[in-house]
Amino acid sequence: MASKVVVVLSGGQDSTTCLYWALDRFGVDNVLALTFDYGQRHRIELDCAANVAQHARVAHTTLPIDTFLALGGNALTDAGIAVDEAPGNALPNTFVPGRNLIFLTFAAAFAWQRDIVDLVTGVAQTDYSGYPDCRRDTIDELEKTLGLGMQREFKIHTPLMNLSKKETVEMARDLGALDAMALTHTCYNGLRPPCGECPACRLRAKGFLEAGIADPLESI
Ligand code: ZN
């Protein structure tokens, strides 16, 4: 029996590309998509994740984690804070401390219960590497810690880790994920069609522009 894999699916461009990477590598019957409802201001992300999973015909589970909402203090869970780019080397206020660490820990617990060791996350340390929990060295240490703590040799796959946004778009094209891109959500301001001006929108637009591919989202 082929091994199964858990993909952390946020409903965005990167995690959707990772979902198709997993489909290609593990086969549609072996992919489980997992989404976290962490109190994100833009609930549209949860609908997008469900739509992407349905489009890809994979099993999909959404788990609630509302502690980040109670913590507040960042622009993704706190409606009183506007998205702002970081001055100098500071972290942008869209950084949710601990988010990826918690996501991957719960993803590992979810996988453990199902005898699964392979996890996939769409983090990348290139282009937009303001988030320290997106770096491979963080992931390596977490993989080790989860393996020790759950006595299971987890493998955390990060297929986008060293890719630029342009290369991620090209990968999505090569994996046949462009149709699904129309269902994704990227905008930090929660707008659909996207605002085109927030850091997330600008980065997405740059990737598609450099790849010479029209963003399917814009044709909606
Ligand atoms: Zn935007």
Side-chain angles (χ1 to χ4, degrees):
M1 197 176 82
S3 63
K4 291 185 183 273
V5 62
V6 174
V7 180
V8 179
L9 182 69
S10 71
Q13 174 189 0
D14 291 345
S15 65
T16 297
T17 303
C18 285
L19 182 70
Y20 278 77
W21 177 89
L23 287 172
D24 183 59
R25 182 170 278 216
F26 291 82
V28 64
D29 295 333
N30 296 313
V31 177
L32 286 79
L34 182 61
T35 300
F36 294 103
D37 177 353
Y38 67 95
Q40 50 271 66
R41 279 164 64 189
H42 305 311
R43 313 299 290 167
I44 187 173
E45 286 178 21
L46 299 171
D47 295 336
C48 288
N51 292 340
V52 166
Q54 192 179 34
H55 182 80
R57 299 176 189 279
V58 298
H60 181 230
T61 302
T62 300
L63 292 178
I65 320 175
D66 60 4
T67 309
F68 287 114
L69 185 60
L71 279 167
N74 69 81
L76 296 194
T77 60
D78 193 330
I81 299 178
V83 171
D84 197 7
E85 283 174 277
N89 292 325
L91 286 166
N93 71 2
T94 50
F95 178 58
V96 182
R99 182 174 55 167
N100 278 327
L101 305 178
I102 298 293
F103 280 9
L104 287 166
T105 301
F106 279 127
F110 179 86
W112 191 96
Q113 293 171 328
R114 291 162 179 77
D115 289 327
I116 298 171
V117 296
D118 289 286
L119 310 173
V120 185
T121 175
V123 297
Q125 61 192 11
T126 44
D127 262 4
Y128 192 56
S129 53
Y131 299 162
D133 54 353
C134 291
R135 296 181 193 139
R136 187 63 225 188
D137 53 2
T138 302
I139 301 294
D140 284 340
E141 294 302 319
L142 184 62
E143 189 178 80
K144 209 183 296 175
T145 302
L146 291 172
L148 285 168
M150 297 191 202
Q151 214 166 304
R152 184 72 56 82
E153 282 198 27
F154 291 111
K155 172 84 185 134
I156 303 177
H157 302 273
T158 54
L160 311 184
M161 183 57 79
N162 296 306
L163 302 184
S164 65
K165 275 288 169 190
K166 168 182 182 274
E167 291 168 326
T168 299
V169 171
E170 289 167 346
M171 181 193 251
R173 176 199 59 201
D174 295 347
L175 291 167
L178 287 182
D179 284 351
M181 284 302 145
L183 306 171
T184 61
H185 180 76
T186 298
C187 181
Y188 276 157
N189 288 318
L191 298 174
R192 201 171 177 88
C195 79
E197 288 170 10
C198 72
C201 275
R202 289 208 307 268
L203 187 65
R204 176 169 174 145
K206 181 172 174 277
F208 275 94
L209 183 72
E210 289 177 4
I213 294 169
D215 187 343
L217 185 59
E218 291 179 355
S219 59
I220 290 176

